Amino acid sequence: MTEDFDVRLVEDVKSYTPDPQYRKNAWMGDYQKVYNEFLANPDAFWEKMAKELDWIKPWDKVKEWNYPYAKWFTGARLNVSANCLDRHVHNSRRNKVALIWKGEGGSEQIFTYQKLLSQVARFANALKKIGVKKGDTVCIYMPLVPEQVIAMLACARIGAVHSVVFGGFGAAALNMRIKDADAKVVITADITIRRGKAIQLKAIVDEAIINAPTVENVVVLRRREPKVDLHEKEMDFYEMMEGMPDVCPPEEMDAEDRFFILYTSGSTGKPKGIVHTCGGYMVGTYYTSKYIFDIKDNDTFWCTADPGWITGHSYIVYGPLAVGATVFITELTPDYPDAGSFWNLVEEQKITIFYTAPTAIRMFMKMGESWPNKYDLSSLRIIGSVGEPLNPEAFEWYYRVIGKSRTPIVDTWWQTETGMHMITTMIGETMHPGFAGKPIPGVEADVVDKDGKPVKPGTGGLLVIKSPWPAMLRTVYKDDERYRKYWETIPGVYAVGDLAVKSDDGYIMILGRSDDIIIVSGHNIGTAEVESALVSHNAVAEAAVIGKPDVVKGNSIKAFVILRVGNAPSDRLKQDLLHHVRTTLGPIAMPHEIDFVDKLPKTRSGKIMRRVLKAQEMGMDPGDISTLEE
Ligand code: WT7
């Protein structure tokens, strides 16, 4: 960790400052000024934010910090769904569009705030009727359809704890999550539609609930005609709602009542049930939706994630709806019906804020810029990225081809555990490709060594959060020890598990997970750095790098490379790539081996599973691969 990181990779990368209008018109205004206000009085900062929302009873204290446990807005009572729906219905947004959904073959569904509230209330009443009570866990395993959002909000309305499992997980992964969370009800659909094909979802649920004795009912959204048969304990999503009143008084929740559980993969392989609570999560996601994405009343906001991930929880459902935004979602994929599908939707829906992941951006790069160039993307005013480091090459492409060298990019760093954005470059501020940005007002972050001492700028270290924030996880479900680990690895601070470098002016570059660092001859080399270097070669679409034990060097680097269309694997190209890494990063970062591959093992959220590559390479057991795509 004492090794100076080589930030040469971004040294010759241009920085960009958006038009001053952006900062002038932004909710945030002057970042530094707001940040200083926060530092001067953190509780006052959050209190001001919380006051923008509706509370049944106000808090006694903004925060109680009892290291490593935090409580926020203690004594306050609220309901999140009431803030996402009723708050708008009772003011001028009753007839504003809350949700637009596009499916295949041009199908479309539009919900105003009033309509969404009515549907949520009816489904909430239906859940109550089958015995779901405050505190019960409901597992939601659905495709990307409006009913998934309705199911989540209905749980929130009655105080049921949802555990949403992404619809791409297999039976064993679903079974583990149902059992760990003691789910009483599973809400699913007969099918999910991917690239024109129907994929059976319910069959997976059937398998997953064998051996899951807590499950009393399965609710099925039947999309297909003729409708699939329902068995004992199974009920139809819409039949349940028939005759149900469209009014359902929101359950009065304590700010610290459990809101939802969401499983995330940990370094051990066994997924962790991250627990979020009502008050703090609502304030954190509301604040970041409004101030990081700068959502205004006439925006159409599209986050390309699935509600089944934290990105979807926070920035499809709870944050944007708490703000009163118009949210666009789609079951379509970026390559179907063709590689222009997303850009066609941006043009058609006049999307103004677009939020996606680097892996998608690199896929768009691979498909070629002629696709986005066919469409009018001039409605876009802010584009965002999340999930992994946005390498300078991808940044440049995203900025130039999608943002037309005009729109700011918000590269947002955060985690399932943080619940909300933590680090980004606020719109209007200068963007340095390769660097996510600075801690947002409300967040204190730093880069430290393993003893918690801040490292000097330009030196790699561990990213930490130095003080509690409202949307932080409260525990790991049934495994509080794992929760404490976050705060005890480096005493006094929350250890993120990422390696980072800070520049002289406080911008933070995320290098990747701490377990994705390879030590070669005593030098720290970030897999993300090497991958970024490889991807910056014009023949490379995507790359993954792992460390292999080496008796002399400690580790050697092996790279797996996917080529861009029009390039063929050859020894000459291999040499060319090695030379390229050598000249961008230096000889110590040069891979010792390069394999050309067609595919990389990825999680369904698009993260490369280097662990799997490594296990394969060494003939070892890859461990838990339940999050692996396909
Ligand atoms: C990990 C958290 C937060 C929603 C999606 C992922 C990596 C996330 C960035 C970013 C570099 C990033 C980190 C983090 N990550 N955003 N903008 N730049 N890395 O949630 O599955 O909980 O993963 O994703 O390594 O720790 P998650």
Side-chain angles (χ1 to χ4, degrees):
M1 214 59 68
T2 50
E3 193 63 36
D4 274 22
F5 262 87
D6 199 341
V7 278
R8 213 176 322 160
L9 186 63
V10 291
E11 230 168 44
D12 49 331
V13 169
K14 237 174 95 186
S15 295
Y16 303 92
T17 305
D19 187 296
Q21 286 301 319
Y22 269 104
R23 186 202 272 203
K24 205 173 141 239
N25 297 327
W27 285 117
M28 179 63 73
D30 184 338
Y31 160 79
Q32 201 54 55
K33 189 170 152 266
V34 181
Y35 196 86
N36 293 343
E37 277 166 25
F38 152 68
L39 272 189
N41 191 345
D43 284 3
F45 174 86
W46 285 114
E47 179 154 53
K48 193 175 144 214
M49 233 24 97
K51 280 187 172 158
E52 295 187 13
L53 291 159
D54 282 353
W55 302 78
I56 300 166
K57 177 182 173 285
W59 45 92
D60 303 321
K61 277 174 105 178
V62 173
K63 168 180 82 199
E64 275 177 36
W65 178 220
N66 203 338
Y67 170 83
Y69 299 102
K71 287 183 179 162
W72 284 85
F73 308 107
T74 53
R77 315 283 290 177
L78 75 148
N79 183 284
V80 178
S81 88
N83 274 279
C84 291
L85 302 168
D86 310 54
R87 197 169 84 86
H88 310 304
V89 167
H90 296 152
N91 66 30
S92 56
R93 298 197 187 99
R94 189 167 87 91
N95 294 314
K96 178 176 172 175
V97 172
L99 193 64
I100 306 169
W101 172 85
K102 283 281 303 215
E104 289 192 354
S107 52
E108 186 174 75
Q109 288 192 56
I110 296 175
F111 296 79
T112 61
Y113 272 94
Q114 175 64 68
K115 184 174 170 194
L116 190 59
L117 173 58
S118 298
Q119 292 296 83
V120 166
R122 291 176 68 215
F123 191 64
N125 283 324
L127 286 178
K128 273 195 194 167
K129 198 174 169 197
I130 60 168
V132 180
K133 294 190 192 63
K134 176 176 176 176
D136 287 343
T137 309
V138 172
C139 174
I140 299 174
Y141 179 73
M142 296 185 86
L144 215 175
V145 290
E147 289 84 352
Q148 188 185 20
V149 177
I150 291 168
M152 289 168 77
L153 289 163
C155 288
R157 194 144 193 102
I158 63 175
V161 177
H162 59 61
S163 162
V164 186
V165 178
F166 174 63
F169 277 110
L174 179 59
N175 173 265
M176 183 258 129
R177 286 159 176 78
I178 289 172
K179 282 207 295 211
D180 191 73
D182 305 310
K184 191 168 170 179
V185 170
V186 179
I187 305 173
T188 189
D190 53 351
I191 54 162
T192 178
I193 299 166
R194 290 320 260 179
R195 300 181 181 92
K197 278 209 216 84
I199 297 163
Q200 303 296 328
L201 264 198
K202 170 131 183 318
I204 297 171
V205 174
D206 291 345
E207 202 183 322
I209 59 169
I210 300 174
N211 200 0
T214 54
V215 178
E216 291 172 12
N217 290 107
V218 176
V219 177
V220 188
L221 172 73
R222 290 188 289 178
R223 311 176 73 191
R224 242 188 175 171
E225 296 290 345
K227 295 206 184 318
V228 290
D229 291 338
L230 295 178
H231 305 113
E232 213 198 319
K233 291 188 189 174
E234 296 178 352
M235 37 253 300
D236 178 87
F237 192 97
Y238 281 106
E239 282 170 12
M240 272 173 78
M241 286 165 74
E242 271 165 31
M244 286 294 148
D246 61 6
V247 172
C248 174
E251 187 75 37
E252 196 180 302
M253 305 295 285
D254 187 274
E256 282 298 322
D257 274 340
R258 195 182 299 145
F259 185 37
F260 66 80
I261 303 172
L262 184 59
Y263 286 87
T264 185
S265 37
S267 45
T268 66
K270 186 191 179 251
K272 309 184 255 198
I274 302 301
V275 174
H276 283 286
T277 53
C278 296
Y281 177 81
M282 175 177 78
V283 173
T285 53
Y286 165 80
Y287 157 61
T288 46
S289 296
K290 176 168 168 183
Y291 289 86
I292 307 305
F293 290 126
D294 194 44
I295 297 178
K296 304 278 169 55
D297 252 327
N298 53 0
D299 276 311
T300 304
F301 178 78
W302 181 13
C303 162
T304 69
D306 187 283
W309 304 113
I310 191 66
T311 307
H313 281 58
S314 300
Y315 300 112
I316 289 176
V317 186
Y318 297 112
L321 294 181
V323 169
T326 296
V327 173
F328 175 74
I329 52 174
T330 181
E331 200 174 9
L332 297 171
T333 54
D335 55 355
Y336 186 86
D338 61 37
S341 115
F342 273 24
W343 315 122
N344 180 31
L345 288 168
V346 168
E347 177 183 293
E348 175 190 292
Q349 302 290 330
K350 305 278 178 279
I351 301 296
T352 56
I353 307 168
F354 179 75
Y355 189 38
T356 195
T359 184
I361 297 167
R362 291 194 298 263
M363 180 178 145
F364 295 136
M365 286 172 77
K366 183 177 155 188
M367 296 187 298
E369 59 189 85
S370 62
W371 286 104
N373 287 346
K374 280 192 191 133
Y375 298 93
D376 175 11
L377 307 182
S378 63
S379 58
L380 292 171
R381 67 178 192 94
I382 293 165
I383 56 180
S385 171
V386 61
E388 55 177 317
L390 181 61
N391 50 295
E393 278 299 302
F395 182 104
E396 303 273 353
W397 189 91
Y398 197 31
Y399 185 69
R400 179 177 56 82
V401 180
I402 306 305
K404 308 293 175 202
S405 305
R406 175 179 54 82
T407 70
I409 292 180
V410 282
D411 176 3
T412 58
W413 178 90
W414 59 296
Q415 305 177 301
T416 304
E417 293 89 334
T418 72
M420 63 178 222
H421 296 152
M422 302 293 278
I423 295 171
T424 194
T425 302
M426 221 59 69
I427 62 157
E429 305 297 322
T430 299
M431 299 172 281
H432 301 297
F435 291 85
K438 297 181 184 180
I440 65 170
V443 172
E444 291 181 85
D446 207 351
V447 181
V448 303
D449 65 19
K450 63 180 188 333
D451 302 317
K453 250 184 51 231
V455 297
K456 61 179 201 301
T459 304
L462 305 160
L463 181 62
V464 297
I465 311 296
K466 298 196 294 182
S467 54
W469 64 100
M472 65 188 257
L473 77 162
R474 298 300 194 267
T475 188
V476 174
Y477 194 58
K478 291 182 180 165
D479 196 352
D480 195 56
E481 205 181 315
R482 263 177 124 181
Y483 167 76
R484 286 197 303 272
K485 254 194 204 137
Y486 286 102
W487 288 93
E488 287 166 359
T489 307
I490 305 169
V493 295
Y494 171 87
V496 152
D498 282 0
L499 289 164
V501 179
K502 206 158 101 173
S503 70
D504 292 326
D505 46 3
Y507 278 70
I508 294 170
M509 172 193 279
I510 315 291
L511 298 163
R513 299 294 303 179
S514 45
D515 38 16
D516 286 339
I517 284 286
I518 312 168
I519 317 242
V520 184
S521 306
H523 297 289
N524 291 351
I525 297 170
T527 51
E529 265 180 304
V530 183
E531 288 161 7
S532 181
L534 285 165
V535 172
S536 72
H537 187 284
N538 58 22
V540 177
E542 200 149 16
V545 162
I546 58 164
K548 276 173 77 173
D550 182 289
V551 276
V552 180
K553 301 179 179 77
N555 282 290
S556 69
I557 299 173
K558 168 144 193 183
F560 299 84
V561 166
I562 301 179
L563 294 175
R564 286 202 204 190
V565 204
N567 295 280
S570 70
D571 272 343
R572 200 161 147 203
L573 183 52
K574 238 181 231 181
Q575 291 311 316
D576 200 2
L577 292 180
L578 288 175
H579 177 76
H580 182 71
V581 177
R582 187 190 179 101
T583 51
T584 32
L585 276 183
I588 57 154
M590 264 172 71
H592 302 87
E593 264 179 90
I594 294 181
D595 271 3
F596 292 112
V597 294
D598 292 323
K599 256 182 148 175
L600 289 167
K602 284 187 185 169
T603 63
R604 291 181 194 87
S605 59
K607 268 198 208 37
I608 295 167
M609 291 183 90
R610 295 179 189 83
R611 182 162 58 81
V612 172
L613 285 171
K614 190 158 179 164
Q616 223 168 45
E617 198 56 32
M618 324 226 348
M620 284 172 356
D621 186 320
D624 175 21
I625 49 165
S626 64
T627 54
L628 194 66
E629 196 186 15
E630 274 161 31

